[in-house]
Structures are given as C-alpha cells and as structure tokens.
Amino acid sequence: TWPGRLPRISCGMVSPGEFIPLAEQTGLILPLGRLVMRLACEQLALWAAMPRTAGWSVSVNVSAKEFRHPHFVPQVLEILQESGADPSRLKVELTESLMLHDVEDSILKMQALRTLGVGFSLDDFGTGYSSLGYLKRLPLDQLKIDQSFVRDVLTDPNDAAIARTIVALGTSLGLQVTAEGVETEAQRLFLERAGCHAWQGYLLSRPVPGLAFEDLVLAHAA
C-alpha cells in the first residue's frame, strides 16, 4: 500500500463463532456487548411506539466475560432507563457452560434483573453438563435445544432421544423450549411431535437487517 494509507481488507461474512472468541481475548467484547445491548433496547423502544410491533421482544446473547463483569447489572439497568425500553420485552441469553463457574453469583445477577421483568434463556442447552440441582434454582424462562442435536435429529437416535428429553425436562420445569438451527420441514415436524412448538433457523429465514425483519414478521402475521 502507499505510505499513509490503510490496506483495504474484505472479510465477507464472519460467524459469531469466529469473532466472539477473538473479541473476548482482546477485551473488545465488553464495549461491543454494551453497544449491542443499547441498540437492542433502543429498537425495543421504537417498536413499542408502533401498534403493530408493540408486543415484540428482543433476545440478546451475553458472553461469559460480559456477564461476570461486576458492572453488568448496573449497565443493563442504565441502558434500560436511558432507552425507555420495557424490561419485560428484553430477554438475556446465557450459555449453559457460563453458569457452571459461579452459580450463586449468576443467580444473584439474574434475580436483580428479573425483579424488573427481564427474562432469561439458557442457550445451547445439552452441551454444558448441567446439574439439575442448580438448573431448578435459576430464574429461567426458556431452554434452547442446541443445534448440534437438531441437525441430526432425524438420522441419529441419540440426538432424537436427547431432543425429546430436553423438551420433557423444560416443559416439566414450566419453561418454554425453543429449538435452534431448524433448517427443514421434517425437523420442524419431529420437534412439534415431541412437544417443541418454538424454533428458529433457516427454515424461516437467514439473518436479515432490521427493516427486512419487520417486513418478514408482519408478512407471516398477515
């Protein structure tokens, strides 16, 4: 490159599995996480002002380093207050492995936000060797079946059994169960027969920008 000019880098699409570990290693995950949380809450406030979208909610994935930061709860409370978002429309998604390190601290943080109405989802369930003893103590609203089980649910009897077990466990605990990574109608039908009626994945849509998302949801609701 010419002196004084930065090289032009074209990265294309980068998956969260690639950039999140790097962001955690460099410490960028903290300002990045705050930005994502702020944008999500501002979007909630915008949707709340329109009758057609007032009932919509947003889920925000939170990394281990973010959640363990001592200022995580105060920062979320500040963002909610400044954005004017309804806390009951915000759901925080935590990974199962994150909860294994300091269960008591996790419960305290979750309860502090839960008192305002913030919901919690346990993401990638089935991959982190959960203890049922602490699972029943967590103030959760939702379990998510990890996509690694959903992917081969029609061809691998073990994955099928695990998916059914997670649905039964979550339902017995009074939690909503959502399947990740649903890509085919056959997968969706299997999950529906197993009692899992909420799902996400390419069968509905690939990731899209905000305005396209609004059009997609409103079109399906019509």
Side-chain angles (χ1 to χ4, degrees), residues 21 66 78 90-92 95 98 104 110 120 125 161 184 217 222:
E66 289 179 83
E78 180 182 359
L90 174 66
K91 183 174 291 180
V92 173
T95 60
L98 181 157
E104 298 304 323
M110 293 171 73
F120 287 92
F125 187 76
T184 69
V217 176

Short mmCIF file of all heavy atoms in Angstrom, two decimals, residues 21 66 78 90-92 95 98 104 110 120 125 161 184 217 222:
data_model
loop_
_atom_site.label_atom_id
_atom_site.label_comp_id
_atom_site.label_asym_id
_atom_site.label_seq_id
_atom_site.Cartn_x
_atom_site.Cartn_y
_atom_site.Cartn_z
N PRO A 21 -14.96 -15.27 20.19
CA PRO A 21 -13.76 -15.65 20.96
C PRO A 21 -12.63 -14.64 20.82
O PRO A 21 -11.92 -14.35 21.80
CB PRO A 21 -13.37 -17.01 20.36
CG PRO A 21 -14.66 -17.55 19.82
CD PRO A 21 -15.40 -16.37 19.30
N GLU A 66 -18.77 -10.78 29.69
CA GLU A 66 -19.73 -9.70 29.98
C GLU A 66 -20.50 -9.97 31.26
O GLU A 66 -20.60 -9.12 32.14
CB GLU A 66 -20.73 -9.57 28.84
CG GLU A 66 -20.23 -9.01 27.54
CD GLU A 66 -21.36 -9.00 26.53
OE1 GLU A 66 -22.16 -8.04 26.57
OE2 GLU A 66 -21.46 -9.95 25.74
N GLU A 78 -29.00 0.84 33.48
CA GLU A 78 -28.80 2.19 32.93
C GLU A 78 -29.29 2.27 31.49
O GLU A 78 -29.97 3.23 31.10
CB GLU A 78 -27.32 2.56 33.00
CG GLU A 78 -27.00 3.94 32.46
CD GLU A 78 -25.51 4.25 32.49
OE1 GLU A 78 -24.73 3.39 32.95
OE2 GLU A 78 -25.13 5.35 32.04
N LEU A 90 -37.31 -7.59 27.07
CA LEU A 90 -35.90 -7.93 26.88
C LEU A 90 -35.63 -9.31 27.46
O LEU A 90 -36.01 -9.60 28.59
CB LEU A 90 -35.00 -6.90 27.55
CG LEU A 90 -33.49 -7.22 27.56
CD1 LEU A 90 -32.93 -7.19 26.14
CD2 LEU A 90 -32.75 -6.22 28.45
N LYS A 91 -34.95 -10.15 26.68
CA LYS A 91 -34.54 -11.46 27.17
C LYS A 91 -33.03 -11.59 27.01
O LYS A 91 -32.48 -11.32 25.93
CB LYS A 91 -35.25 -12.58 26.41
CG LYS A 91 -34.92 -13.98 26.93
CD LYS A 91 -35.78 -15.04 26.24
CE LYS A 91 -37.22 -14.91 26.67
NZ LYS A 91 -38.10 -15.93 26.03
N VAL A 92 -32.36 -12.00 28.07
CA VAL A 92 -30.91 -12.19 28.05
C VAL A 92 -30.63 -13.68 27.87
O VAL A 92 -31.14 -14.52 28.62
CB VAL A 92 -30.28 -11.69 29.36
CG1 VAL A 92 -28.79 -12.05 29.41
CG2 VAL A 92 -30.47 -10.19 29.50
N THR A 95 -25.14 -18.85 27.99
CA THR A 95 -24.77 -20.20 27.62
C THR A 95 -24.74 -21.09 28.85
O THR A 95 -24.46 -20.63 29.97
CB THR A 95 -23.40 -20.24 26.94
OG1 THR A 95 -22.41 -19.73 27.82
CG2 THR A 95 -23.42 -19.43 25.65
N LEU A 98 -21.45 -21.17 30.84
CA LEU A 98 -21.19 -19.98 31.65
C LEU A 98 -21.68 -20.16 33.08
O LEU A 98 -21.05 -19.71 34.04
CB LEU A 98 -21.88 -18.78 30.99
CG LEU A 98 -21.76 -17.39 31.62
CD1 LEU A 98 -22.00 -16.33 30.55
CD2 LEU A 98 -22.74 -17.15 32.77
N GLU A 104 -23.89 -19.20 42.30
CA GLU A 104 -24.51 -18.28 43.25
C GLU A 104 -24.49 -16.85 42.73
O GLU A 104 -25.47 -16.12 42.83
CB GLU A 104 -23.82 -18.36 44.61
CG GLU A 104 -23.90 -19.73 45.28
CD GLU A 104 -25.33 -20.21 45.43
OE1 GLU A 104 -26.23 -19.37 45.70
OE2 GLU A 104 -25.57 -21.42 45.27
N MET A 110 -29.10 -12.59 37.98
CA MET A 110 -30.34 -12.85 37.27
C MET A 110 -31.55 -12.37 38.06
O MET A 110 -32.47 -11.76 37.51
CB MET A 110 -30.46 -14.35 36.97
CG MET A 110 -29.42 -14.86 35.98
SD MET A 110 -29.40 -16.66 35.83
CE MET A 110 -30.91 -16.94 34.92
N PHE A 120 -34.87 -14.57 30.95
CA PHE A 120 -33.60 -15.26 30.74
C PHE A 120 -33.81 -16.57 30.00
O PHE A 120 -34.76 -17.31 30.26
CB PHE A 120 -32.91 -15.55 32.08
CG PHE A 120 -32.33 -14.33 32.72
CD1 PHE A 120 -33.10 -13.60 33.62
CD2 PHE A 120 -31.06 -13.89 32.41
CE1 PHE A 120 -32.58 -12.45 34.21
CE2 PHE A 120 -30.54 -12.75 32.99
CZ PHE A 120 -31.30 -12.03 33.90
N PHE A 125 -28.50 -25.51 25.26
CA PHE A 125 -28.72 -26.48 26.33
C PHE A 125 -28.40 -27.89 25.85
O PHE A 125 -28.73 -28.29 24.75
CB PHE A 125 -30.16 -26.42 26.83
CG PHE A 125 -30.39 -27.27 28.05
CD1 PHE A 125 -29.95 -26.85 29.29
CD2 PHE A 125 -31.03 -28.49 27.94
CE1 PHE A 125 -30.13 -27.63 30.41
CE2 PHE A 125 -31.23 -29.28 29.06
CZ PHE A 125 -30.78 -28.85 30.29
N ALA A 161 -33.28 -38.75 20.97
CA ALA A 161 -33.62 -39.00 22.37
C ALA A 161 -33.27 -37.81 23.24
O ALA A 161 -34.03 -37.44 24.15
CB ALA A 161 -32.89 -40.25 22.86
N THR A 184 -35.11 -27.73 8.07
CA THR A 184 -36.02 -28.46 7.18
C THR A 184 -37.39 -28.62 7.83
O THR A 184 -37.52 -28.60 9.06
CB THR A 184 -35.46 -29.85 6.84
OG1 THR A 184 -35.49 -30.67 8.02
CG2 THR A 184 -34.04 -29.77 6.31
N VAL A 217 -41.70 -10.57 9.55
CA VAL A 217 -42.62 -10.95 10.64
C VAL A 217 -44.04 -10.50 10.32
O VAL A 217 -45.00 -11.25 10.52
CB VAL A 217 -42.14 -10.35 11.98
CG1 VAL A 217 -43.15 -10.66 13.08
CG2 VAL A 217 -40.78 -10.91 12.35
N ALA A 222 -49.72 -11.72 8.74
CA ALA A 222 -50.88 -11.27 7.95
C ALA A 222 -51.83 -12.42 7.63
O ALA A 222 -51.42 -13.56 7.50
CB ALA A 222 -50.37 -10.62 6.65
#
